[in-house]
Amino acid sequence: MPLAAELKSRGLPITRSRRAIAEFLDASTAALSAIEIIDHLHSQGITVNKTTVYRELDILEREHLVVELDMGDGLKRYELSPRQHHHHLFCASCKKVVCLPVEQDLGEVEKQLENQTNFKISGHDLKFFGTCSDCLSITGRDQDE
Amino acid sequence: MPLAAELKSRGLPITRSRRAIAEFLDASTAALSAIEIIDHLHSQGITVNKTTVYRELDILEREHLVVELDMGDGLKRYELSPRQHHHHLFCASCKKVVCLPVEQDLGEVEKQLENQTNFKISGHDLKFFGTCSDCLSITGRDQDE
DNA sequence: CTCTGTGCAAACGATTTGCATGATG
DNA sequence: CATCATGCAAATCGTTTGCACAGAG
């Protein structure tokens, strides 16, 4: 179910801002920051105040429809709540975030760590960093062009 | 070699602030934020301006004597440059950061990912989150005490 | 009238920068 | 005097908050 419909089914009114933000999140394969959402909407001629965007993201998070994602560059990003646990790949150049299926059972590792460290482990976060093929082909070109 | 000595060997003068910051980093097993360093020094009666601390951390990073660490809570932390790659465990309660030896060869996974995704992968970051035994024993106590 | 949603301005908090001063060689 | 360290205030930047108002039920 699309985000907007999901919100509506929970009794939240579908306003123009809410619909625009929800649809952009639905349409995007990448995790989005508030700033990216604002810029995108403005480029579409839709004026939304940043406060509205931040508040909307809070609501979506509270409704567990999106989750916060931290790629370590100081921006909070949000992605649709994943059906299954996965990891991320982050392009240092264009900031694109690609989702990756889980490759190995880190849950096993967590149990081992609990025994070794006496921590109660609640989860993990595995990120890969690099440059995506798009950015590679751009930066790979002759700089004089 | 202690941090301060290392800095001196590189021609940087050892001032009171520099020594204090370096010694605290040397003595600490955890990754430290600028704020933690400032608070600690102030509690020791050593007045250092925050600007000085931030600048000192920049210098140490530029000299590759410390590395920046992002635990996703909005603060930059710094740890002595590790001799070997490792991962981290982060206590959500007291913000303690514990280092972990590498459990598995994620380098292998990186190669697989490069083939699957066309990313050029430069590294990864694996963090575990939870609560340390100290904090567990505190929060586990009867709240009425 | 009572909710929310909205916008604007101001506050926030960690970090950075500009600029003047101080210490050291 | 030349260099670098230092302190202070102000700026920055993403994010949050306070407050007033608009719009729907």
Side-chain angles (χ1 to χ4, degrees), chain A residues 22-86:
Chain A
E23 286 180 352
F24 186 36
L25 277 162
D26 271 327
S28 177
T29 58
L32 300 174
S33 65
I35 293 171
E36 284 169 331
I37 294 172
I38 293 164
D39 287 349
H40 172 79
L41 296 186
H42 281 183
S43 77
Q44 303 283 298
I46 304 172
T47 57
V48 239
N49 189 275
K50 61 181 175 180
T51 311
T52 303
V53 173
Y54 283 112
R55 269 191 291 234
E56 199 55 39
L57 289 170
D58 277 348
I59 291 170
L60 289 168
E61 195 182 9
R62 204 176 318 130
E63 293 289 328
H64 298 104
L65 295 173
V66 303
V67 294
E68 193 184 312
L69 199 62
D70 185 343
M71 298 312 287
D73 66 341
L75 298 190
K76 290 186 181 177
R77 285 162 213 281
Y78 297 85
E79 66 177 358
L80 298 183
S81 289
R83 332 108 214 94
Q84 59 184 31
H85 177 62
H86 61 268

Side-chain angles (χ1 to χ4, degrees), chain A residues 68-74 119 123-125 127 129, chain B residues 30-33 36 67-79 86-92 94-100 125-130:
Chain A
E68 193 184 312
L69 199 62
D70 185 343
M71 298 312 287
D73 66 341
F119 264 66
H124 63 260
D125 179 16
K127 295 192 273 272
F129 298 96
Chain B
L32 300 174
S33 66
E36 285 169 331
V67 293
E68 192 184 313
L69 199 62
D70 184 342
M71 297 311 287
D73 67 341
L75 298 190
K76 290 185 182 180
R77 285 161 214 281
Y78 297 85
E79 65 177 358
H86 61 268
H87 300 138
H88 295 98
L89 224 163
F90 186 48
C91 175
C94 69
K95 316 302 180 194
K96 180 161 50 193
V97 177
V98 175
C99 298
L100 301 170
D125 178 16
L126 174 56
K127 296 192 272 272
F128 293 90
F129 298 95

